[in-house]
Amino acid sequence: MARPLHWLATATAMAAVIATAGLVQPATGTPAATPDPTANGPQAAAPDAAAVTYPLDCNGAPQAVTATAQGDLDGDARPETVAAVRCEAGSGTPPHAIYVLTQDRTEGARPRVVATLLDTGKRQTVTELTVRDRVVTASLLGYSAPAVPRCCPDTKQLAKWRWSDGKFRQELTDSAARSV
């Protein structure tokens, strides 16, 4: 049976391991295998989220881009932009839509929406949006029941999407929404 002294010794050992890990630093310098991103000329710029007309009906109210993230999602060496967009409302918490934007290689081409990852019909609000390792991740706030006031989301969920076989597929995440 574990005694308090045993737990104290275990906690002390764990603290020492964590402290030691914080002191160990990675090697400095750039590995020889890392390609120079400017070697093939300037990199393409990610599409400008403010230059797009979104397929979001706001009944005359303006649209607002509240978060963006950029990265190469489809492996073509050109960055895409992911945008969280909602209607500007006077009160409450309007739901977001999440769109993926791309831009054709031709000069003067405008950015355009190529995919909708989250529709406003889901009635969720985006609090964080990232693109890392070709995966879009969003933290979403929502409502546990229709009676919950629209000002006060009471659930939180993590959603992820990855480009696969020519379309975005939502990956398994914590599908059970948690209370906020």
Side-chain angles (χ1 to χ4, degrees), residues 4-173:
L5 187 57
H6 169 80
W7 289 114
L8 180 62
T10 302
T12 303
M14 289 300 293
V17 168
I18 291 170
T20 303
L23 295 175
V24 176
Q25 299 295 319
T28 59
T30 303
T34 303
D36 179 1
T38 59
N40 296 329
Q43 297 296 307
D48 180 7
V52 175
T53 301
Y54 296 95
L56 183 59
D57 182 12
C58 292
N59 294 323
Q63 297 176 351
V65 176
T66 61
T68 61
Q70 295 79 28
D72 181 11
L73 297 171
D74 57 5
D76 66 353
R78 297 181 53 80
E80 284 78 31
T81 296
V82 180
V85 183
R86 69 179 186 188
C87 298
E88 282 289 347
S91 63
T93 307
H96 276 99
I98 300 177
Y99 299 107
V100 178
L101 314 175
T102 191
Q103 191 163 345
D104 293 331
R105 295 178 188 265
T106 58
E107 189 173 327
R110 295 184 50 82
R112 60 189 171 88
V113 173
V114 293
T116 301
L117 302 181
L118 178 70
D119 189 79
T120 57
K122 299 284 187 181
R123 307 195 60 76
Q124 294 179 308
T125 303
V126 177
T127 60
E128 293 179 47
L129 185 64
T130 60
V131 172
R132 187 171 295 122
D133 298 327
R134 298 175 61 180
V135 174
V136 177
T137 304
S139 292
L140 306 172
L141 298 180
Y143 307 93
S144 60
V148 175
R150 297 297 102 178
C151 68
C152 310
D154 64 342
T155 63
K156 185 174 184 177
Q157 188 174 17
L158 184 68
K160 294 182 180 187
W161 295 269
R162 179 185 302 272
W163 180 258
S164 177
D165 297 325
K167 65 182 180 178
F168 285 96
R169 298 185 189 276
Q170 189 165 3
E171 294 186 345
L172 293 177
T173 57

